[in-house]
Structure formats: structure tokens, C-alpha cells
Amino acid sequence: MSLLALDSRWRRLNDETYACPCCGRSFGGLIDIGFGHPDAWPHGDLQPTAGATLNVGADQLSADLCRCDGLYFIHCVLPIPIRGSEETFLFGVWASVTEDDFMSYVADATGERPGFQGCAGWLMNDLPRFENAEPLACGLKAPETASERPTLIAQDGPLARAQAEGISFDHLLDIYAASGEDIRPHLNG
């Protein structure tokens, strides 16, 4: 049994049969937070249709890749363990990479030239409760299977510590609130 199993809020978050008494809302587990584009993308959101691509001049955005103003981005997952549990919260984020690394990743993902091993990158989204004034240096780890996204690992600072040591459930709830989804009142029962 995990330590968080003693927290009634954690049990309610993970119980798909629980319904908030004030509104009937239920959760059924962690809620990952994703970004539809890098913060530097100025052209609006991608429409949620399969295989959609948004092209504006030379700039291009898909669900997995982005080219904007001569920069190259890959959509990644950034995992953060939750202390006291076996669960991991995920941010769906964008990493800026060199053109060569971008092309190597694309060649591997399409099967044209397998062998992408990962690369250096920069986190290109401002994460709630981990705000940074500048892009954060990261390592981009190649996906283990074709259906997965690469994993982004922060190299330094509070985000790197959070990835290495995990965050508290209360910190996770603060992240949700800072992202505009304060679920704390719905878990108090």
C-alpha cells in the first residue's frame, strides 16, 4: 500500500466511482497536462483532427513536430513521479532541438533511418509551478517504442529535482490549480 493511500483526496482522485457531492465530477486518476505547441509558436492552435497540420508560410505544426521561424521542435513527455505512490504525472511539452537532431528523429520515426539515440534540447513551454524566465536545458531520450513520444529530462534546477525526487500530492494539486483546473474543492468530499 502506498503512503498516499491514506490520503482521502488521493483515493477520491483515483476512484472512478467517486462523484463530487457539489457537482458530480469524477476523475479516475491523474490528469496529465499537455501543450499543443511550443510557447514560441505564434499562429494559434492545431485543430484536433487526425493527421492535421497547420502551415503558415514556412512555419509548420503537427501533433508531434513543429518548425517555426527557423527553429525545430519535438513534442515530448516530461515525467514527474508523485512521492508516496507508484504514479507518475506527465507534462506533454515541446523541446527545441538542432535541425540535424530533428531530421535524425524524423528519419528514425518514419523508419527511413533507424537509430535516433536522443539528443540535447531545450524545454519550450512555461510549466505551471516550474516557471522559468529562460528555456531550460534538457536531455531528450529516444522513445522505447514507435507509439511513444520521446522523454524530456531537465538538467538543472527545481524541475530536475522534481523529476529525480518526485513531488508531493499537494504540489501536484497546486500545478493543476496554476494551470486553471483547481480540483481541490472536488476532492474534499
Side-chain angles (χ1 to χ4, degrees):
M1 176 168 86
S2 75
L3 289 177
L4 272 179
L6 301 173
D7 187 325
S8 60
R9 300 168 306 156
W10 178 258
R11 290 193 310 271
R12 290 181 185 119
L13 175 69
N14 288 287
D15 179 0
E16 57 192 40
T17 65
Y18 168 77
C20 174
C22 73
C23 66
R25 188 166 178 193
S26 63
F27 301 97
L30 294 179
I31 305 161
D32 297 329
I33 296 174
F35 295 85
H37 52 75
D39 289 350
W41 177 260
H43 306 296
D45 294 331
L46 182 66
Q47 297 306 309
T49 57
T53 302
L54 178 56
N55 296 294
V56 180
D59 295 347
Q60 186 173 16
L61 174 68
S62 72
D64 299 309
L65 303 169
C66 179
R67 182 181 63 229
C68 179
D69 199 26
L71 300 174
Y72 296 85
F73 306 93
I74 299 173
H75 207 179
C76 305
V77 295
L78 191 149
I80 302 177
I82 308 302
R83 286 193 310 261
S85 79
E86 299 295 319
E87 300 291 323
T88 300
F89 164 73
L90 298 175
F91 277 115
V93 297
W94 291 83
S96 174
V97 298
T98 67
E99 181 179 6
D100 288 343
D101 288 331
F102 181 86
M103 298 309 263
S104 177
Y105 173 75
V106 170
D108 183 73
T110 60
E112 179 183 319
R113 192 178 69 244
F116 178 74
Q117 298 296 311
C119 61
W122 297 91
L123 173 62
M124 297 307 291
N125 295 106
D126 198 16
L127 306 182
R129 306 298 292 172
F130 292 103
E131 290 82 4
N132 255 352
E134 299 293 324
L136 182 64
C138 295
L140 191 136
K141 181 181 163 198
E144 294 182 18
T145 68
S147 64
E148 294 178 347
R149 285 201 163 104
T151 301
L152 201 61
I153 306 297
Q155 299 299 309
D156 196 16
L159 187 55
R161 280 191 300 282
Q163 285 188 289
E165 301 168 8
I167 60 173
S168 70
F169 181 46
D170 285 312
H171 189 169
L172 177 64
L173 293 174
D174 290 343
I175 290 170
Y176 290 152
S179 70
E181 188 64 40
D182 190 355
I183 66 172
R184 292 176 285 208
H186 303 287
L187 298 177
N188 288 330

